[in-house]
Amino acid sequence: MIITKKVLRNVSLTAHPEGCRRYVEDQVAWVKAHAQESKEASYPQAASLALPKRVLVLGGSTGYGLSSRIVAAFAGGADTINVSFEREPSENKTATPGWYNTMAFEALARKAGCKASSVFGDAFSTEIKKETAKRIREELGKVDLVVYSLASPLRTDPQTNVTYRSVLKPIGQPFGALSVDLDSDVVKSAVIEPATDEQVEETVKVMGGEDWSLWIDFLLAENLLADHAITVAYSYIGPRITYPVYREGTIGKAKEHLEKRAATLEQKLKTIGGRAFVSVNKALVTRASAVIPVVPLYMALLYQVMKERNLHEHCTQQIYRLFTTNLYSGNPILTDEQGRLRVDDWEMLESVQKEVERRWALQKEGESLKEGDLAGVQTEYEQIHGFGFPDIDYSKDVDPRAI
Ligand code: NAI
């Protein structure tokens, strides 16, 4: 079949197997090159670092989780297990990009001598936790690092069987702001109605720290965490302009909950000398972030400003920097006053934010986006689904099941 890009309301419905493979290969090549020899202080050589050798990534098929898996395997030589929710391909329907990425990653990892396998299913369920425990026992023995990188619109509580849905809304009052879609460069205005109290609670149930805690409790009880094991979950804060819909909105409440859970988990992990962290990462185009209102416009301006200053990073560079210059640098782990790791430091530089704010004020409804890199955001969005690579012939007939 000829696989074409199909995007509906910033959600891509298709993925290209050859392009997803290329997306993974490019990240692997970057990590390998820097791990072996690097002249950049921000991305040091990894050979002399004690990176974790057995890694579980929850949500390791796309975005930050996939990059965590790639850095663990190709900078640290780790054996990895991924847990993610995927649709497999059929004769005339493509798989999710996460499925293609996973097949591509696992083939490359095994070729490099690392164990790599996946448990596909609902990470929130007890059944998948049990299946993962079995897999860890069989393949890794125990794990040294658990990365929590799930982003989901819904979660069924395994104890009550009630399904909760997360929403991306402000709290208290409507939020009117400018925005752009990924398939047009015309700025539009959007008003987002505030969430009900119930929606706030539901979003915290889905994207807060409850499931992260369940995972760590379960792995501790099953004796599957190695001595000094670390767990890290990812969070976002962002600038004042997006506060009403992000940090002070429903998702922000969930992130606050996640961040507070890190302290509880740290206490629990004391029995094995382990640690629990939240890492605040940079805004980047992923399947999860593209659907947050206002965020694509912010990212278009941010990308341009950061590229002009040579500060732009992708998920891989973010995670490589997190692992090699902080979590596993061999020096004491650096956190902010709330105990969080910060790799959003370059995004949040005052000079960067001031310039983004200046450009934000230039935008007008119904006009084209000014002084931003919407093309860069669009290309990245295409590439995370395997499209937009100039040397791949997208008019070629491909079997969606072949990778
Ligand atoms: P993503 O959409 O690329 O990845 C989400 C992962 O979760 C995928 O592997 C998906 O298969 C998996 N997943 C979703 N529901 C699942 C389920 N029920 N069971 C098993 N797996 C499931 O998202 P992204 O952006 O990489 O987000 C990961 C984390 O990073 C989130 O906590 C997000 O808030 C955080 N973050 C994202 C930023 C961004 O700008 N993209 C910035 C800072 C933090």
Side-chain angles (χ1 to χ4, degrees):
M1 93 194 241
I2 313 285
I3 301 175
T4 52
K5 177 180 84 169
K6 285 194 193 108
V7 180
L8 185 67
R9 286 192 285 275
N10 290 357
V11 176
S12 177
L13 307 177
T14 53
H16 200 280
E18 206 178 319
C20 287
R21 190 171 63 232
R22 171 68 55 81
Y23 173 68
V24 171
E25 283 168 354
D26 286 354
Q27 291 194 55
V28 168
W30 187 93
V31 170
K32 275 168 81 174
H34 284 76
Q36 279 156 19
E37 194 188 344
S38 172
K39 293 186 181 61
E40 295 168 77
S42 303
Y43 310 110
Q45 220 168 295
S48 58
L49 302 176
L51 290 165
K53 293 293 175 213
R54 298 162 296 179
V55 177
L56 171 65
V57 187
L58 305 166
S61 66
T62 55
Y64 275 113
L66 172 66
S67 292
S68 306
R69 202 178 183 201
I70 291 175
V71 171
F74 289 96
D79 295 331
T80 58
I81 293 175
N82 156 57
V83 181
S84 65
F85 197 78
E86 311 298 343
R87 183 187 65 231
E88 292 195 8
S90 60
E91 195 181 340
N92 45 25
K93 200 163 183 198
T94 70
T96 47
W99 191 86
Y100 291 130
N101 291 342
T102 301
M103 296 304 130
F105 167 85
E106 292 182 357
L108 289 170
R110 286 191 207 115
K111 212 166 138 197
C114 298
K115 288 184 192 162
S117 76
S118 285
V119 176
F120 291 136
D122 181 8
F124 299 129
S125 70
T126 307
E127 181 200 343
I128 290 296
K129 287 185 175 71
K130 284 187 180 157
E131 202 177 319
T132 308
K134 186 165 169 272
R135 190 72 65 86
I136 295 173
R137 230 171 250 120
E138 284 166 6
E139 293 182 6
L140 311 184
K142 292 189 178 205
V143 290
D144 307 300
L145 171 67
V146 180
V147 176
Y148 191 85
S149 190
L150 297 175
S152 172
L154 51 90
R155 169 174 171 242
T156 301
D157 184 323
Q159 267 134 19
T160 59
N161 239 1
V162 175
T163 299
Y164 298 94
R165 279 165 210 284
S166 65
V167 295
L168 297 158
K169 290 187 171 189
I171 297 174
Q173 53 199 33
F175 174 54
L178 298 176
S179 194
V180 278
D181 280 339
L182 289 173
D183 51 2
S184 145
D185 74 339
V186 177
V187 175
K188 54 178 200 172
S189 81
V191 176
I192 316 162
E193 291 304 320
T196 60
D197 291 349
E198 203 175 36
Q199 286 176 319
V200 178
E201 277 169 37
E202 290 209 24
T203 306
V204 172
K205 272 294 233 185
V206 180
M207 288 296 287
E210 191 172 279
D211 180 62
W212 185 26
S213 294
L214 288 176
W215 268 103
I216 299 304
D217 287 347
F218 178 73
L219 294 171
L220 266 175
E222 295 283 315
N223 198 19
L224 290 172
L225 296 180
D227 285 347
H228 311 295
I230 288 180
T231 182
V232 62
Y234 298 140
S235 188
Y236 184 65
I237 297 175
R240 261 188 303 275
I241 353 173
T242 62
Y243 269 13
V245 72
Y246 200 96
R247 195 63 199 190
E248 291 171 352
T250 48
I251 182 75
K253 284 278 169 265
K255 291 300 185 192
E256 271 173 26
H257 187 267
L258 181 87
E259 289 168 18
K260 284 199 187 114
R261 278 299 160 101
T264 324
L265 292 181
E266 177 105 348
Q267 283 303 320
K268 290 183 178 173
L269 289 172
K270 281 223 161 92
T271 51
I272 56 158
R275 313 268 335 247
F277 295 100
V278 158
S279 171
V280 183
N281 300 349
K282 170 189 193 277
L284 274 171
V285 184
T286 63
R287 280 165 68 80
S289 66
V291 294
I292 306 177
V294 184
V295 165
L297 172 58
Y298 168 68
M299 283 196 291
L301 301 179
L302 179 76
Y303 273 33
Q304 182 70 24
V305 172
M306 292 189 81
K307 282 178 182 174
E308 285 167 10
R309 286 163 173 69
N310 215 9
L311 291 176
H312 182 64
E313 294 176 302
H314 296 279
C315 295
T316 332
Q317 283 88 30
Q318 278 269 291
I319 301 300
Y320 192 93
R321 196 152 66 85
L322 173 69
F323 280 25
T324 59
T325 68
N326 201 357
L327 261 187
Y328 296 102
S329 70
N331 298 315
I333 294 171
L334 294 174
T335 64
D336 66 12
E337 319 78 68
Q338 273 105 49
R340 301 172 299 206
L341 311 167
R342 300 298 294 261
V343 272
D344 64 336
D345 47 352
W346 297 353
E347 170 182 355
M348 298 315 290
L349 283 171
E350 207 185 317
S351 58
V352 169
Q353 285 303 325
K354 276 223 161 101
E355 185 53 23
V356 172
E357 275 176 31
R358 187 190 69 77
R359 293 179 192 204
W360 190 277
L362 303 175
Q363 312 308 322
K364 297 229 162 39
E365 185 181 358
E367 293 182 8
S368 294
L369 182 100
K370 294 178 199 70
E371 296 189 36
D373 181 29
L374 191 60
V377 170
Q378 285 164 337
T379 303
E380 268 184 34
Y381 188 74
E382 286 185 356
Q383 291 187 344
I384 62 175
H385 297 93
F387 299 104
F389 289 95
D391 55 338
I392 291 181
D393 180 0
Y394 291 100
S395 63
K396 220 173 58 188
D397 202 349
V398 284
D399 183 343
R401 296 162 302 184
I403 177 100

